[in-house]
Amino acid sequence: MSYKLWTYVTLSIIAFVGVVLFMQTTQFRSTDPVGPAFFPQIVIAIMILFCILSAISTARQKASENNEFKILNMPDIVFTIIVSIIYTYLWKIFGFSYIISFIFVAVLVFRYNKKDPLKRKIMNAAIASAIVNVSVFIVFDLLFNLTF
Amino acid sequence: MDFILKFNLADLLTWEILFAIVFGVLFGIVVGAIPGLGATIGLALVLPITFNMTSLGSIVLLASVFMGCEYGGSVSAILMGIPGTGAATATILDGYPMAKQGRPGTALGYSLVGALIGGVISVLALMILSKPIASLALKFSDPEFFLLGIIGLLAVAGLSSKDIFKSVISVCIGLLMSMVGIDILTGQTRFTFGTVHLMDGLHLVALFVGMFAVSEVFAMLGNDPHTKYVHDKKNFKVAISWKEFTAVKWTYLKGSIIGTIIGILPGVGSSAASWLAYTEAKSTAKNKENFGKGDPRGIAAPETANNAVVGGALIPLVTLGIPGSAATAVILGAFLIHGIVPGPASFANQPGLMYGIFWGLLFATIIMYFLGRYTTSLMARILVLPLYVLTPIVLYISLIGVFASELNVFHLWVAIIAGIAAFFLKNLDFSLPSMVLAYILGPIIEESLRRTLVISKGSVGIFFTRPASIALMALIVIFIAVIAYQRIKAAKKPVQKDLHSSNI
């Protein structure tokens, strides 16, 4: 997808969220004209106005400026987001666990390491994860007395 | 002289402050040295730790990280020709050639001495100028604070992105994020979508860590995961001789003055300061042809200036409560976490704390010099860690930090969502610094405006009846004119993406 198209999609989402929030502000209860809805309504109006201006400005950009919008290494980014969501969900259910955290870091190190052979990848992931988790334990549990 | 009389040295001679300075500086050097990370990310990562510290300890910690990051940026710039931070880009021009000539320790020595001198002079400026500016600001009331907030937003929005429309949209998003939660003036809940977790607003630490650290993790994934920065380990004694120092003493002084002044100006940032100092040093030099070939002045000027920015940037923050950059916005966040609202009244209410911060920063600068001398080679070894190890560590530490701040899993969701959104918005040229600054300044701007309009019974004429308001409005007009002029100039002459956009 092109940079222009991504910009239009993003601006549309922002403007849509603006409209939803504006509708919410109409339900704020206040008799004061400078009440809780006053400032949000001004900001939302400006935001929607500039979304329109930005869309016009994007449309007027020369074809040469219409670069391809590339996100490098998208599969790893999606993988990281999914693993982070699973990790946070497990955190919510079981509470903080060094074992789950160890697996979380190890899985990511293993995934990002593209060169080493399998055995070495596993070893690297385990060592890196163990060191970082021990460091977190020392800093947060021992130094700051923060038991999760 | 209040900074001497109203300061208790015993406040600084504690284990907590010593830890804050040593850990902050070392952490800052490491974060600053890692290409892609910078002061804002470093500060966001450390912010959760400050929850368990005293007010003084937490601000000193953050100021030490800020200072360490500015110096740390030069480490990778000099050793590998890759700037750790945007501010260190100018340092490459002469720092890297000098290192390649087999003098990496000397090049780092010029940088470190520059960091010391720039830091000390800017902190002295902070000590001397803060009280008079704060006294002047005591005459300010709601209309002036509203206008000051607008100036802060204008400066950053105007300079931090090449697309002014997207900058303004970023400001609006930041302002809307600041409105989530209970409206202080009426008690009405706003934009909470029925969840109790949002009653206190979007969590500051979660938002900052998500926007800067988590989004940076996604950006790091775009690089070769096996990237390992290797450098020459010979001649690594970080020092310069007295003769070498005296040869560049005026460059150090001029760099300090430039950095301090640029630091005070909102929105300009350390990248602009270091380039300005470099350009000044080159243009006034007799033998300009030496620049770019390892000239010491080419290292001394930018490195002094970018460290002098730290003290300068704290002046508007502590005197007016207005941060001029994303990094100082994070520091303001730490003030707010501890229930302190920096501004003119804080010098009257908490002089010990304010002057303690100044002296803490001065000590941090001096200690940084010694830590830098003896640990830079050690810190540089962190760069040997390949990105495939470094990236998960940054993500894990970010999530742990967010959770540690309030032991609430909901904040982790906020951080992850903020990270994903920030990553895409940044790639589409929206301005994260504008967003963060608007989020921090939002409550000040909204409350000041609403109180002003309540007092004036809805009339905006109040802004034209007060001399200070008129002066600030004139400043706003000048700002808008400068931004418009720059945009028109840029439109006529296409240039590369501005250099300081990444580091404001």
Side-chain angles (χ1 to χ4, degrees), chain A residues 5 11 15 18 21 32 38 46 53 83 90 92 109 112 125 148:
Chain A
L5 204 55
L11 291 172
L21 294 180
D32 189 350
F38 170 74
I46 294 171
L53 290 174
V83 171
L90 291 174
K92 193 183 166 200
V109 175
Y112 301 156
F148 299 134

Side-chain angles (χ1 to χ4, degrees), chain B residues 120-377:
Chain B
V120 168
I121 290 180
S122 73
V123 174
L124 290 176
L126 176 69
M127 286 174 164
I128 295 163
L129 295 177
S130 290
K131 187 71 198 295
I133 295 175
S135 304
L136 192 73
L138 269 175
K139 291 169 187 153
F140 287 1
S141 189
D142 284 318
E144 288 78 30
F145 279 109
F146 167 70
L147 294 170
L148 275 172
I150 296 294
I151 289 172
L153 290 185
L154 264 179
V156 176
L159 296 169
S160 67
S161 170
K162 61 180 179 180
D163 189 326
I164 191 74
F165 295 126
K166 285 177 181 169
S167 274
V168 176
I169 295 168
S170 307
V171 165
C172 293
I173 294 172
L175 288 172
L176 286 169
M177 289 194 302
S178 76
M179 293 171 204
V180 174
I182 296 172
D183 173 35
I184 292 175
L185 299 181
T186 60
Q188 168 90 48
T189 54
R190 301 189 295 187
F191 312 133
T192 57
F193 300 95
T195 170
V196 288
H197 295 294
L198 289 175
M199 295 283 268
D200 288 333
L202 281 169
H203 192 242
L204 186 140
V205 175
L207 203 62
F208 282 13
V209 171
M211 285 176 71
F212 290 103
V214 177
S215 72
E216 190 56 39
V217 165
F218 301 141
M220 285 163 87
L221 289 173
N223 300 323
D224 175 9
H226 291 268
T227 303
K228 213 162 42 168
Y229 304 107
V230 184
H231 54 85
D232 193 359
K233 294 182 182 68
K234 286 177 192 163
N235 297 327
F236 218 98
K237 194 182 172 200
V238 182
I240 54 170
S241 65
W242 179 251
K243 196 180 161 192
E244 286 168 325
F245 168 74
T246 49
V248 292
K249 61 185 176 194
W250 297 116
T251 311
Y252 279 137
L253 186 65
K254 285 189 281 185
S256 303
I257 294 167
I258 290 171
T260 306
I261 293 169
I262 294 287
I264 297 170
L265 301 175
V268 186
S270 50
S271 297
S274 58
W275 276 108
L276 198 64
Y278 183 86
T279 312
E280 192 283 330
K282 191 178 174 182
S283 61
T284 55
K286 282 177 188 164
N287 39 2
K288 295 182 181 65
E289 65 282 357
N290 288 349
F291 277 78
K293 297 172 188 166
D295 192 304
R297 290 165 296 180
I299 306 168
E303 282 308 309
T304 313
N306 71 35
N307 269 77
V309 163
V310 177
L314 290 176
I315 294 175
L317 178 70
V318 297
T319 56
L320 305 169
I322 304 291
S325 65
T328 44
V330 179
I331 297 178
L332 177 58
F335 272 103
L336 299 176
I337 285 168
H338 287 272
I340 306 155
V341 181
S346 51
F347 282 87
N349 300 336
Q350 292 163 307
L353 173 68
M354 301 314 282
Y355 295 121
I357 292 168
F358 297 171
W359 283 100
L361 190 55
L362 189 67
F363 288 164
T365 310
I366 295 163
I367 290 174
M368 180 184 73
Y369 173 75
F370 292 103
L371 287 174
R373 268 194 82 159
Y374 301 109
T375 64
T376 299
S377 59

Side-chain angles (χ1 to χ4, degrees), chain A residues 3 6-7 10-11 14 21 24-25 28-29 34-36 38-40 43-44 46-47 50-51 53-54 57 69 71-74 76-77 80-81 84-85 87-89 91-92 96 101 104-105 108-109 112-116 124 128 132-133 136 140 143-144 146 148, chain B residues 19 49 52-53 163 165-166 168-169 172-173 175-176 179 183 186 188-193 217-218 221-226 388-389 391-393 395-397 399-401 403-404 407 409 412-413 416 420 423-425 427-430 442 445-446 449-450 453-454:
Chain A
Y3 178 89
W6 270 101
T7 301
T10 310
L11 291 172
I14 293 170
L21 294 180
Q24 275 206 9
T25 63
F28 294 165
R29 292 182 304 273
V34 195
F38 170 74
F39 195 60
V43 173
I44 293 167
I46 294 171
M47 188 173 78
F50 273 83
C51 281
L53 290 174
S54 182
S57 158
F69 180 71
I71 301 285
L72 297 170
N73 202 0
M74 199 60 179
D76 274 357
I77 292 173
T80 307
I81 292 169
S84 301
I85 289 170
Y87 175 58
T88 308
Y89 188 68
W91 197 330
K92 193 183 166 200
F96 177 79
S101 300
F104 170 66
V105 177
L108 291 179
V109 175
Y112 301 156
N113 185 350
K114 313 277 184 197
K115 276 185 187 165
D116 292 335
N124 277 354
V132 76
N133 273 288
V136 165
F140 287 93
L143 210 61
F144 288 105
L146 259 176
F148 299 134
Chain B
F19 162 80
I49 297 176
N52 298 296
M53 297 176 76
D163 189 326
F165 295 126
K166 285 177 181 169
V168 176
I169 295 168
C172 293
I173 294 172
L175 288 172
L176 286 169
M179 293 171 204
D183 173 35
T186 60
Q188 168 90 48
T189 54
R190 301 189 295 187
F191 312 133
T192 57
F193 300 95
V217 165
F218 301 141
L221 289 173
N223 300 323
D224 175 9
H226 291 268
Y388 74 80
V389 174
T391 314
I393 292 175
L395 179 61
Y396 180 48
I397 301 289
L399 296 178
I400 288 278
F403 183 72
L407 304 180
V409 178
L412 294 179
W413 296 116
I416 292 170
I420 297 168
F423 174 69
F424 282 98
L425 290 174
N427 274 290
L428 286 166
D429 295 316
F430 285 85
I445 292 174
E446 181 182 7
L449 176 65
R450 283 167 64 187
L453 292 177
V454 167

Side-chain angles (χ1 to χ4, degrees), chain B residues 428-439:
Chain B
L428 286 166
D429 295 316
F430 285 85
S431 164
L432 298 190
S434 300
M435 223 178 275
V436 165
L437 216 66
Y439 170 77

Side-chain angles (χ1 to χ4, degrees), chain A residues 14-41:
Chain A
I14 293 170
F16 175 74
V17 172
V19 171
V20 171
L21 294 180
F22 195 92
M23 283 160 69
Q24 275 206 9
T25 63
T26 58
Q27 289 162 17
F28 294 165
R29 292 182 304 273
S30 176
T31 50
D32 189 350
V34 195
F38 170 74
F39 195 60
Q41 285 178 346

